[in-house]
């Protein structure tokens, strides 16, 4: 299947002030009717992805999206179509209006890591897992990282060592990912990246850790986010030595979260 045969689709992770995200059900008459999904739809000819996202949310839910940040991209093969999905995060201050079920669909707010509706569209399983990853963590590359605030879902990730439980979330250099995948589920492996080659290798991991020590690290990551959007969440690791370096607003540029080195 060539890339030209893929259908371009946008979907939005819409947040409220409580940090919950919106799910809506597919209306009667559509494929997978009754399944829950992130609102969105097909990008029309000569339409930008952001414009498609804004149009779909207006048509489906009656709200206006002012802006959004590309977060993850996925290719998924349904029985009826092969789609290239572009997931955007829409912060609580990036939309306004009164939610309205314009297609007689259901909708509800959900907490990360605590899904209460089913069934979900098959393509969304890894998206839900990614949403459960905290956006703020702290720790040290040598000893591990943990959730930074009590409001975030609890998570601890540790450096890999032989014999560690397969249920433990671990991290390794991206170059070791393929080898470790025979011993540890990739859904529990994060990959440390420093360059483009490692970025590509890490797309089978559960998340990417990108250490920031200088302005060159920042620029390379910004280039990758723009030219090669990730299919997995990206966590920026702010090394202690990087503190004097001016940091962009990572959350508006496609980064999932920030790890503060202690």
């Amino acid at each position: 299947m060539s890339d030209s045969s893929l259908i371009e689709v946008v979907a939005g992770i819409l947040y409220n002030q409580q940090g919950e995200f919106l799910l809506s059900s597919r209306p009667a008459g559509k494929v997978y009717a009754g399944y829950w999904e992130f609102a969105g739809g097909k990008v029309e000819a000569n339409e930008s992805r952001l414009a498609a996202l804004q149009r779909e949310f207006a048509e489906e839910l009656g709200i206006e999206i002012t802006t959004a940040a590309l977060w993850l991209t996925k290719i998924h093969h349904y029985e009826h179509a092969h789609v290239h999905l572009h997931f955007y995060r829409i912060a609580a201050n990036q939309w306004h209006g009164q939610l309205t079920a314009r297609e007689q669909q259901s909708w509800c707010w959900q907490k990360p890591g605590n899904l209460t509706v089913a069934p979900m569209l098959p393509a969304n399983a890894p998206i839900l897992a990614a949403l459960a990853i905290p956006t703020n963590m702290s720790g040290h590359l040598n000893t591990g990282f943990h959730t930074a605030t009590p409001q975030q879902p609890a998570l601890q990730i540790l450096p890999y060592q032989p014999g560690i439980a397969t249920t433990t979330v671990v991290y390794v250099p991206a170059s070791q990912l393929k080898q470790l995948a025979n011993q540890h589920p990739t859904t529990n492996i994060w990959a440390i990246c420093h360059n483009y080659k490692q970025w590509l290798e890490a797309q089978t991991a559960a998340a990417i850790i990108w250490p920031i020590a200088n302005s060159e690290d920042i620029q390379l990551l910004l280039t990758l986010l723009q030219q090669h959007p990730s299919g997995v969440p990206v966590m920026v690791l702010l090394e202690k030595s990087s503190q004097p370096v001016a940091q962009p607003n990572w959350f508006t540029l496609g980064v999932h979260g920030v790890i503060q080195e202690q």
Side-chain angles (χ1 to χ4, degrees):
M1 170 91 31
S2 65
D3 287 345
S4 61
S5 63
L6 291 171
I7 298 173
E8 296 290 310
V9 173
V10 291
I13 318 296
L14 187 85
Y15 288 93
N16 62 17
Q17 295 289 352
Q18 290 71 47
E20 300 167 318
F21 60 85
L22 188 78
L23 289 177
S24 58
S25 63
R26 292 179 63 81
K30 286 192 177 182
V31 179
Y32 284 100
Y35 278 68
W36 291 84
E37 65 175 356
F38 299 100
K42 189 170 115 176
V43 180
E44 302 293 350
N46 302 317
E47 185 179 43
S48 72
R49 295 188 187 112
L50 178 58
L53 189 74
Q54 292 169 320
R55 174 181 52 77
E56 289 287 349
F57 269 83
E59 292 175 354
E60 295 178 20
L61 294 163
I63 61 173
E64 181 179 346
I65 305 299
T66 54
T67 189
L70 181 61
W71 174 53
L72 298 182
T73 63
K74 296 280 185 184
I75 291 176
H76 190 82
H77 301 293
Y78 288 105
E79 299 86 350
H80 65 286
H82 304 275
V83 297
H84 189 188
L85 291 156
H86 304 268
F87 289 91
Y88 286 77
R89 286 196 303 192
I90 308 160
N93 63 354
Q94 294 176 330
W95 66 275
H96 57 86
Q98 183 66 43
L99 284 167
T100 306
R102 291 193 166 178
E103 296 182 339
Q104 285 71 58
Q105 75 274 42
S106 299
W107 56 266
C108 67
W109 294 103
Q110 298 284 284
K111 295 180 179 179
N114 186 28
L115 193 66
T116 62
V117 295
M120 283 290 298
L121 275 185
N124 289 332
I127 302 303
L128 293 167
L131 285 175
I133 294 175
T135 54
N136 289 281
M137 302 187 74
S138 60
H140 195 279
L141 196 59
N142 294 335
T143 55
F145 307 109
H146 54 83
T147 307
T149 63
Q151 292 78 25
Q152 297 271 329
L155 179 66
Q156 182 178 36
I157 58 170
L158 300 172
Y160 175 78
Q161 56 184 344
I164 198 167
T166 56
T167 54
T168 303
V169 182
V170 300
Y171 53 90
V172 295
S175 58
Q176 298 178 17
L177 184 61
K178 187 178 295 185
Q179 176 184 353
L180 184 58
N182 297 324
Q183 311 160 41
H184 210 86
T186 53
T187 51
N188 286 339
I189 306 176
W190 292 19
I192 304 167
C193 298
H194 296 275
N195 56 47
Y196 172 61
K197 180 176 182 293
Q198 294 169 351
W199 180 270
L200 295 181
E201 292 173 332
Q203 296 304 310
T204 58
I208 286 172
I209 298 174
W210 187 276
I212 296 287
N214 51 51
S215 58
E216 287 77 15
D217 294 332
I218 294 175
Q219 189 54 53
L220 179 53
L221 177 55
L222 293 176
T223 300
L224 288 172
L225 288 168
Q226 182 177 22
Q227 299 181 4
H228 306 279
S230 179
V232 300
V234 178
M235 299 292 290
V236 167
L237 171 60
L238 300 180
E239 299 181 349
K240 284 186 177 180
S241 59
S242 73
Q243 299 310 304
V245 179
Q247 301 290 329
N249 185 345
W250 290 114
F251 295 100
T252 66
L253 298 171
V255 166
H256 177 82
V258 172
I259 303 173
Q260 200 78 39
E261 189 175 65
Q262 294 179 329

